[in-house]
Amino acid sequence: MTAQSAFDLIFRNALLRGAADPMDIGVTRGRITAIEPTLACEAAEVDVGGRLALPGFVDSHIHLDKACLLGRCGHDHGSVSEAIRAVSEMKKGFSVEDVYARGARVLERAIVHGTTRMRTHVEIDPRIGLRGFEAVKALKRDYAWAIDLSLCVFPQEGLTNDPGSEELLIQALRDGGEVIGGCPYTDTDPNAHLARIFDLAEAFDLDVDLHLDFDLDPSWWHLDEVCRQTERRNYGGRVAIGHATKLSALQPERLRAATAQLAKAGVAVTVLPATDLYLMGREATHNAPRGLTLAHKLAADGVLCSIATNNVLNPFTPFGDASLLRMANFYANVAHASVNDFDTCLDLVTELPARLMNLGDYGIKVGNPADLIVLDTQDSRFAVAELPDVVMGFKSCRQTFARQRPTVFRPGS
């Protein structure tokens, strides 16, 4: 039994991953100051009831600026290029207020589903200008009480072939952009696109998060150039690629070589199950390919991976509720994850994306912010399998949401 003169709050009976018995978590000034079996101290208390406590889900790849567009177009788009064109037309009319309202809708869903950290990609080009960026900056400020939002600015429709995009991109980087992204497959000169993105990353000392190799034709790709740029610039551990669906189309020998290449270069992979499954293989008449890169297998072979939301209710993905627990379950089903992989599937929306985003203060550890969520289960293995309710959440010790258990009304009750 450990005694301390003052805690602002004690979480009692919290089951942590990997622990056999519940622990008490003491918090002072918004940070965790003790984790012990029993804390003897008079303080405000929250009884977790032996349920699973996590530091919150981490969404490493989402697009708040183009979320919730159902109703503005037909949503019968069957390819990546068609979805890009549809949003390109719509975003010309986006206002700061419009982007803010749609982004807030998704953020609030993410918060009540337990997300505490998020990287949102924000499109920068002459069609949208900086309106989307200004809106998402405001969201970052206004929702800091519940979620840490990181802004990755990127040119969706090319860079070298889109005059004015680079100037706007640089302006955004000077005004709060925290990560730089790219989309080389929309550029007429993909290698020049990548070189310029890496140049800007070095100039502003920022991590890189790219959209890459988003189709099922393994006869060509940009992965080699990304790995080459990463190694040449000593940027290992600071580069991520999203989608990378071409990896799902490789024969085993080529996949092993690509896996080793990614691990050696220090390039992470974010799999986006809802979008990847929706857009890949739609032209097939039978035996349609999934188009889903197996993140849990890459992770087992030394590649840092994550699973993320990507799009919500738009031409790229006309589904979504911003629940990363549901996304992990969805992924586990489609990826044929075994029961022994379920803990890794939970890692793919918690610990691993936190590493991908280089979040040094993530986790239920002494000294870290008191960010945690409580799941209605006593076994982390069942979190992905049974989709338990996320019953409450806290950010720096302040409660951000609560969810009541459903009530069953039996006859005569």
Side-chain angles (χ1 to χ4, degrees):
M1 180 179 290
T2 298
Q4 181 167 318
S5 58
F7 291 111
D8 298 326
L9 180 70
I10 298 175
F11 294 100
R12 299 285 188 192
N13 303 311
L15 185 66
L16 306 182
R17 291 185 70 184
D21 299 303
M23 306 288 279
D24 289 349
I25 303 170
V27 181
T28 308
R29 291 187 294 278
R31 290 191 173 269
I32 297 170
T33 47
I35 302 175
E36 301 285 349
T38 304
L39 292 173
C41 180
E42 292 294 325
E45 296 184 0
V46 173
D47 188 357
V48 178
R51 292 174 293 193
L52 179 66
L54 299 173
F57 298 117
V58 181
D59 204 330
S60 61
H61 188 127
I62 195 170
H63 295 263
L64 294 177
D65 56 339
K66 57 189 181 189
C68 302
L69 295 173
L70 287 178
R72 299 192 187 187
C73 64
H75 292 279
D76 54 355
H77 315 290
S79 70
V80 177
S81 58
E82 288 174 350
I84 290 173
R85 283 196 297 271
V87 174
S88 179
E89 284 301 311
M90 283 188 285
K91 71 184 176 185
K92 295 174 184 176
F94 289 175
S95 66
V96 173
E97 295 75 17
D98 172 45
V99 174
Y100 184 98
R102 290 184 287 102
R105 177 180 166 188
V106 175
L107 269 183
E108 291 183 13
R109 294 296 299 276
I111 290 164
V112 300
H113 285 307
T115 297
T116 56
R117 311 284 184 109
M118 177 182 284
R119 174 182 288 175
T120 183
H121 290 248
V122 186
E123 295 188 16
I124 306 290
D125 60 42
R127 287 154 294 286
I128 183 65
L130 296 174
R131 298 188 303 278
F133 179 65
E134 292 300 326
V136 178
K137 276 203 307 179
L139 289 169
K140 174 184 173 72
R141 178 195 67 223
D142 293 348
Y143 283 89
W145 53 271
I147 191 167
D148 292 327
L149 187 60
S150 174
L151 279 59
C152 176
V153 296
F154 84 111
Q156 168 74 82
E157 299 176 48
L159 184 62
T160 69
N161 57 324
D162 198 10
S165 288
E166 183 170 333
E167 291 78 8
L168 288 166
L169 193 60
I170 291 171
Q171 189 174 342
L173 292 174
R174 289 172 175 163
D175 195 27
E178 297 158 286
V179 181
I180 186 167
C183 195
Y185 55 80
T186 62
D187 203 306
T188 52
D189 192 341
N191 285 355
H193 179 115
L194 288 169
R196 190 59 187 137
I197 294 300
F198 274 91
D199 287 344
L200 291 170
E202 286 189 311
F204 286 89
D205 191 22
L206 301 175
D207 290 357
V208 175
D209 197 334
L210 303 161
H211 295 67
L212 204 78
D213 294 341
F214 193 16
D215 61 47
L216 298 178
D217 179 1
S219 66
W220 63 273
W221 62 12
H222 299 127
L223 186 147
D224 289 339
E225 181 63 15
V226 169
C227 290
R228 190 185 73 82
Q229 291 280 357
T230 301
E231 292 183 313
R232 184 171 75 82
R233 299 169 191 259
N234 196 29
Y235 240 58
R238 301 191 67 180
V239 178
I241 57 176
H243 300 294
T245 51
K246 287 180 186 285
L247 292 173
S248 74
L250 295 181
Q251 294 289 339
E253 297 79 9
R254 282 194 65 197
L255 180 58
R256 280 193 292 270
T259 301
Q261 183 180 15
L262 288 164
K264 178 176 178 291
V267 173
V269 176
T270 296
V271 173
L272 305 162
T275 303
D276 297 348
L277 285 158
Y278 178 70
L279 289 176
M280 295 297 99
R282 294 179 68 87
E283 71 285 354
T285 59
H286 59 284
N287 286 339
R290 289 178 170 86
L292 185 75
T293 291
L294 299 182
H296 68 290
K297 291 188 179 295
L298 289 180
D301 288 329
V303 179
L304 180 58
C305 291
S306 68
I307 293 169
T309 299
N310 196 42
N311 283 291
V312 177
L313 305 176
N314 73 10
F316 294 87
T317 321
F319 313 101
D321 60 359
S323 168
L324 281 176
L325 188 59
R326 184 186 65 81
M327 192 65 70
N329 172 278
F330 179 48
Y331 168 86
N333 273 273
V334 178
H336 291 157
S338 70
V339 174
N340 291 334
D341 296 321
F342 286 176
D343 260 326
T344 300
C345 291
L346 187 58
D347 289 339
L348 287 165
V349 292
T350 53
E351 305 291 340
L352 297 180
R355 283 176 50 200
L356 183 152
M357 292 172 59
N358 290 309
L359 302 178
D361 61 352
Y362 177 83
I364 301 178
K365 302 173 185 175
V366 171
N368 282 354
D371 301 348
L372 63 87
I373 61 172
V374 177
L375 277 61
D376 193 15
T377 184
Q378 284 75 43
D379 193 325
S380 64
R381 294 173 301 172
F382 297 155
V384 168
E386 65 176 342
L387 293 176
D389 288 337
V390 185
V391 296
M392 66 181 83
F394 296 81
K395 182 69 176 169
S396 296
C397 191
R398 178 189 179 277
Q399 188 161 9
T400 55
F401 73 91
R403 181 181 286 110
Q404 292 184 341
R405 278 184 171 180
T407 301
V408 176
F409 294 102
R410 300 183 184 279
S413 62

